[in-house]
Amino acid sequence: MSEAVAQTVASRFSELYGAEPHGVWAAPGRVNLIGEHTDYNDGFVMPFALPHTAVAAVARRDDGILRLHSADVESGVTELRLDALSPESDKTWTAYPAGVVWALREAGHAITGADIHLSSTVPSGAGLSSSAALEVVVALALNDLFSLGLRGWQLARLCQRAENVYVGAPVGIMDQTASACCETGHALFLDTRDLSQKQIPFDLAAEGMRLLVVDTQVKHSHSEGEYGKRRAGCEKGAALLGVDALRDIPYADLDAALARLGDEEEVRRLVRHIVTENARVERVVSLLESGETRAIGPVLIEGHASLRDDFRISCPELDLVVDTALASGALGARMTGGGFGGSAIVLAEEQDVDAITKTVTEAFASAGFTTPRVFEAVPSPGARRLH
Ligand code: ADP
Ligand code: MG
């Protein structure tokens, strides 16, 4: 399967650039099981990799030129000079791969040029991290072709810097680390403060369960501004409480922290979400480690309520997925990703999957919403060389 994909992407590379690529790499999108908006609070997250990947065929060049092409965008080959790359100069898709090259060079790595052809099956803008997949696949290819010897977490940091500074999007570190470091059959328990990580076995099929991703296919236009407000609110909370990040408030101290915030109602809600969400990640880890997989369902449901009522980043489409799935027998469900659209996840017994899918789809039709895309998410490999 991945051999066939690698062949297709390599042949297209040859048509475009008139020579064989030096290799083909893949990096996945991700879905986050639990730990939402904690990554910019130095907290815990727990993503796993999707089978959907960005694939890159790449050849190195030594003349200071970067050429970029995507099979998924209606434009030809973009040619850039490495010494002209500059942050926030590009508002198109090429900013993601060019930003990675810029970040590597900024960090002192001697990248001398490349021809890159990309093709991705990660749905774009669905909260499944198509942008991180694109960045990480380029970073991994250049790491190999220029023998940089960087580890997955180091590539993730550079990709985050590319997205923060070059693209100009204030994202946390979860997506890039997930794409770079996840492993088949596992969820990644990641401490975003120091990037220490633990692979947690997560094989639902072996226990007769499934995890569905429901892509609502909507993205509400105010999502970026709201993300910035939540980040700013969390920073304000940390400052008022005298800590570096909200991660530093232990769950046991939550009530005392909330009392100290007095009438800062908005900040209190944000703080409560982050502190309880970090505790939920730890609960899910310990339940999975003790084999109590079904018991994570209620934790996911609580996580959704916290995002809806305290963090206030859900929307009618996401709430409808969660409410309908739970009403038709799901073990747990919650929105995942940034919010205001994108995707929700549903944990269900295998035999309930068809009924849940049907009920959710019908509920969307009755509400007049766009038909959602439902697929099963199996924990898949992280970034790797295919060819
Ligand atoms: P998400 O990461 O949740 O999918 P983002 O807004 O962070 O959403 O990233 C989506 C952007 O990434 C797209 O607008 C596009 O610029 C870029 N992108 C994603 N996939 C591709 C692709 N296959 N080819 C070119 N650009 C892509
Ligand atoms: Mg993204």
Side-chain angles (χ1 to χ4, degrees):
M1 159 66 189
S2 53
E3 186 54 29
V5 172
Q7 281 301 339
T8 308
V9 176
S11 336
R12 183 75 182 112
F13 178 101
S14 304
E15 283 168 28
L16 285 163
Y17 297 118
E20 299 271 309
H22 296 153
V24 182
W25 290 260
R30 62 93 190 101
V31 68
N32 191 21
L33 183 59
I34 190 81
E36 217 63 78
H37 287 256
T38 45
D39 71 340
Y40 53 83
N41 289 288
D42 278 3
F44 302 127
V45 294
M46 205 178 179
F48 63 87
L50 290 172
H52 308 67
T53 56
V55 175
V58 183
R60 72 175 268 170
R61 301 174 64 108
D62 295 306
D63 59 356
I65 298 290
L66 174 64
R67 293 197 291 179
L68 300 168
H69 183 267
S70 168
D72 312 305
V73 175
E74 301 256 329
S75 64
V77 173
T78 298
E79 185 168 318
L80 302 164
R81 290 177 49 89
L82 295 186
D83 54 16
L85 297 181
S86 109
E88 300 201 44
S89 58
D90 179 356
K91 294 296 163 202
T92 72
W93 75 273
T94 52
Y96 295 90
V100 171
V101 175
W102 171 84
L104 283 165
R105 281 165 55 86
E106 271 266 309
H109 302 294
I111 307 294
T112 53
D115 286 339
I116 302 178
H117 167 60
L118 292 151
S119 176
S120 179
T121 54
V122 186
S124 173
L128 303 173
S129 263
S130 68
S131 60
L134 219 55
E135 292 153 10
V136 170
V137 78
V138 168
L140 184 66
L142 297 175
N143 188 45
D144 283 357
L145 289 178
F146 289 90
S147 305
L148 305 180
L150 297 168
R151 310 267 304 272
W153 65 269
Q154 294 173 300
L155 295 176
R157 281 259 192 248
L158 287 161
C159 290
Q160 184 200 17
R161 185 161 155 72
E163 191 155 347
N164 288 167
V165 182
Y166 198 92
V167 176
V171 297
I173 189 69
M174 168 170 68
D175 300 351
Q176 294 81 2
T177 314
S179 186
C181 302
C182 280
E183 291 180 9
T184 311
H186 292 77
L188 178 70
F189 174 35
L190 175 70
D191 180 339
T192 64
R193 171 160 275 169
D194 61 6
L195 298 193
S196 60
Q197 28 182 286
K198 188 170 182 192
Q199 301 287 343
I200 310 292
F202 188 55
D203 182 359
L204 292 172
E207 296 185 64
M209 282 173 283
R210 295 284 187 266
L211 196 122
L212 302 178
V213 173
V214 182
D215 172 5
T216 64
Q217 312 231 54
V218 298
K219 190 80 207 159
H220 294 290
S221 56
H222 53 289
S223 64
E224 268 177 41
E226 295 292 332
Y227 181 89
K229 280 190 213 161
R230 297 305 181 283
R231 274 190 86 130
C234 289
E235 280 164 22
K236 182 174 176 188
L240 289 171
L241 294 167
V243 290
D244 287 343
L246 292 182
R247 144 70 180 279
D248 296 310
I249 310 292
Y251 182 71
D253 296 352
L254 177 60
D255 288 344
L258 295 178
R260 283 180 60 198
L261 290 169
D263 57 5
E264 290 277 357
E265 188 45 38
E266 165 103 17
V267 177
R268 283 162 57 99
R269 282 193 282 98
L270 300 180
V271 169
R272 186 162 54 213
H273 168 71
I274 298 299
V275 175
T276 57
E277 187 77 351
N278 279 324
R280 279 186 285 274
V281 178
E282 294 188 285
R283 245 157 77 212
V284 166
V285 170
S286 87
L287 288 169
L288 291 178
E289 289 191 322
S290 57
E292 296 170 81
T293 309
R294 282 176 177 77
I296 73 172
V299 189
L300 303 184
I301 299 169
E302 256 179 51
H304 184 76
S306 180
L307 289 163
R308 183 191 59 210
D309 304 334
D310 273 345
F311 222 63
R312 302 196 183 177
I313 56 167
S314 191
C315 64
E317 292 86 350
L318 290 167
D319 290 341
L320 188 62
V321 177
V322 171
D323 294 344
T324 314
L326 293 177
S328 38
L331 296 162
R334 68 175 203 90
M335 56 152 288
T336 182
F340 304 107
S343 301
I345 54 172
V346 176
L347 176 71
E349 303 288 357
E350 191 182 339
Q351 68 270 17
D352 295 335
V353 162
D354 290 346
I356 292 170
T357 305
K358 187 164 173 282
T359 321
V360 169
T361 309
E362 284 170 359
F364 267 59
S366 308
F369 295 157
T370 308
T371 311
R373 236 169 49 86
V374 185
F375 61 90
E376 188 191 334
V378 180
S380 299
R384 64 216 180 266
R385 188 171 191 155
L386 296 180
H387 198 72

